[in-house]
């Protein structure tokens, strides 16, 4: 299992994401200006402030050459995980439904939150139980998930609401406490909380590891290279 | 030609920036102010105004959450969204 973590100018969580993924597989960095995904089995679009988040968070990054390759990879069924800014980039790129808006409180929020697993049948949450609580930190200013009501209803029906903030834990005013969503096919998943910062009890929680481990199981062992 | 693109949060979507400004104004003695919304202004010069709708919908705005209006040099509207886009 080989993860590729995208590095944009302004990314800041790509190394943590790489270290987290390296606990369950191999992990390499992918440069934003390259279209070559180096044969990875899964792509992580990490947190940070890609291209300074000018105009809107993620608006410029979606046009990076690497994102063409990531979109094609996703179309072919490859696993793509968007974390925080990576979630915003995936929404702007149309890989995920909805948009992320400024927090209701207009402030940067940095704290541990409790999440509830709504759908445990995705490749990203298969190692969790439905209704399970995960303790994972958030750190963002633009994390208020929004989708128009008809779209949100359809998503809910299709199981695309994967994670919600537990009651009373919503840090940003996200509609219906949505914390993480997937696409219709279920192979692209984005969330505002940072599972890569919750992979070791030393830093408060190892609950985030379940997401990386689920991805590794879903992608399966790498086939042996042919001679 | 020189144009101005006005970008606004779509009606019905919570606009916390607008709310904060609306609450701040009475604190300075400006009473009777309603419906404050904070958007974005993009000024640009271009050769082909026919490109404006696509430019606005693909980059300058996120059509899911924002509306736009393009004004020419004389302030007359040049372009606006064709309809609600669901992405």
């Amino acid at each position: 299992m080989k993860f590729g973590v995208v590095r944009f100018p302004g990314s800041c969580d790509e190394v943590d994401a790489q270290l987290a993924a390296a606990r369950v597989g191999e992990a390499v960095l992918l440069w934003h200006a390259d279209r070559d995904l180096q044969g990875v089995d899964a792509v992580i679009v990490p947190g940070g402030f890609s291209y300074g988040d000018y105009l809107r968070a993620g608006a410029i990054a979606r046009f990076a050459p690497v994102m063409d390759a990531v979109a094609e990879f996703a179309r072919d069924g490859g696993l793509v995980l968007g974390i925080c800014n990576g979630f915003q980039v995936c929404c702007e790129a149309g890989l995920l439904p909805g948009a992320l808006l400024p927090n209701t409180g207009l402030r940067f929020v940095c704290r541990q939150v409790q999440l509830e697993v709504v759908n445990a049948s995705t490749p990203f949450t298969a190692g969790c139980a439905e209704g399970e609580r995960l303790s994972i930190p958030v750190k963002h200013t633009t994390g208020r998930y929004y989708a128009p009501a008809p779209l949100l209803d359809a998503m809910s029906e299709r199981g695309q609401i994967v994670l919600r903030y537990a009651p009373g834990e919503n840090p940003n005013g996200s509609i219906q406490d949505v914390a993480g969503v997937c696409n219709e096919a279920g192979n692209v998943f984005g969330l505002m909380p940072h599972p890569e910062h919750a992979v070791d009890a030393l830093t408060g929680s190892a609950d985030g590891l379940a997401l990386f481990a689920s991805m590794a199981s879903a992608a399966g062992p790498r086939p042996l290279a042919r001679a | 030609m020189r144009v101005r693109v006005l970008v606004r949060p779509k009606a019905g979507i919570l606009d916390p920036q607008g709310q904060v400004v609306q609450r701040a104004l009475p604190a300075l003695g400006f009473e009777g102010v309603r419906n404050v919304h904070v958007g974005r202004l993009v000024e640009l010069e271009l050769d082909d105004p026919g490109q404006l709708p696509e430019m606005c919908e693909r980059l300058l705005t996120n059509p899911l959450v924002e509306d736009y209006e393009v004004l020419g040099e004389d302030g007359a509207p040049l372009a606006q969204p064709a309809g609600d886009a669901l992405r």
Side-chain angles (χ1 to χ4, degrees):
Chain A
M1 173 67 187
K2 183 174 167 188
F3 290 86
V5 184
V6 176
R7 171 179 271 170
F8 296 110
S11 291
C12 62
D13 297 323
E14 75 277 26
V15 174
D16 268 20
Q18 187 185 14
L19 291 171
R23 290 179 178 240
V24 297
E26 189 189 339
V28 296
L29 289 176
L30 304 172
W31 183 237
H32 71 110
D34 287 342
R35 284 167 206 274
D36 178 12
L37 297 186
Q38 300 179 32
V40 298
D41 305 297
V43 171
I44 299 176
V45 189
F49 303 86
S50 53
Y51 297 91
D53 274 350
Y54 294 136
L55 196 60
R56 290 181 310 280
I60 309 290
R62 69 167 281 209
F63 296 105
V66 74
M67 286 307 295
D68 283 342
V70 171
E72 197 181 317
F73 179 77
R75 268 197 301 277
D76 293 341
L79 295 184
V80 178
L81 168 65
I83 303 170
C84 193
N85 190 230
F87 184 13
Q88 297 159 344
V89 172
C90 288
C91 285
E92 283 282 340
L95 296 177
L96 287 171
L100 282 312
L101 296 169
N103 297 348
T104 309
L106 292 175
R107 288 172 194 255
F108 179 77
V109 179
C110 178
R111 63 177 162 90
Q112 202 75 12
V113 293
Q114 300 295 315
L115 304 171
E116 278 180 7
V117 178
V118 180
N119 183 350
S121 64
T122 77
F124 306 89
T125 51
C128 306
E130 205 177 297
E132 185 180 341
R133 290 256 181 140
L134 303 175
S135 174
I136 292 180
V138 291
K139 45 163 200 175
H140 59 249
T141 311
T142 307
R144 173 169 43 117
Y145 185 77
Y146 172 82
L151 176 58
L152 201 62
D153 290 346
M155 287 168 63
S156 185
E157 199 131 307
R158 291 191 289 254
Q160 290 178 253
I161 314 294
V162 180
L163 298 173
R164 287 190 207 275
Y165 299 107
E169 292 279 316
N170 189 337
N172 49 35
S174 284
I175 194 161
Q176 292 181 18
D177 296 332
V178 171
V181 304
C182 67
N183 63 346
E184 268 192 72
N187 65 309
V188 181
F189 169 55
L191 76 170
M192 285 313 295
H194 287 266
E196 80 280 20
H197 296 333
V199 295
D200 194 313
L202 188 65
T203 52
S205 165
D207 291 355
L209 205 52
L211 303 184
F212 298 98
S214 298
M215 289 173 75
S217 306
R222 271 172 80 65
L224 292 172
R226 291 201 185 89
Chain B
M1 68 187 303
R2 186 168 180 78
V3 303
R4 288 183 296 161
V5 181
L6 305 181
V7 184
R8 302 182 175 90
K10 256 193 204 296
I13 295 183
L14 181 69
D15 172 17
Q17 283 194 86
Q19 288 182 344
V20 167
V21 174
Q22 185 165 327
R23 282 198 300 269
L25 288 169
L28 296 173
F30 299 105
E31 298 295 339
V33 181
R34 288 173 293 275
N35 285 320
V36 178
H37 291 289
V38 177
R40 226 175 21 249
L41 167 66
V42 183
E43 285 186 326
L44 52 102
E45 284 183 26
L46 80 175
D47 296 328
D48 176 9
Q51 297 173 317
L52 279 164
E54 196 188 342
M55 203 185 279
C56 288
E57 273 151 55
R58 290 190 60 203
L59 180 61
L60 302 184
T61 75
N62 180 340
L64 189 67
V65 289
E66 293 169 327
D67 280 327
Y68 68 89
E69 191 180 0
V70 183
L71 305 178
E73 265 162 301
D74 55 359
L78 284 179
Q80 53 194 349
D84 272 5
L86 262 194
R87 296 201 289 178

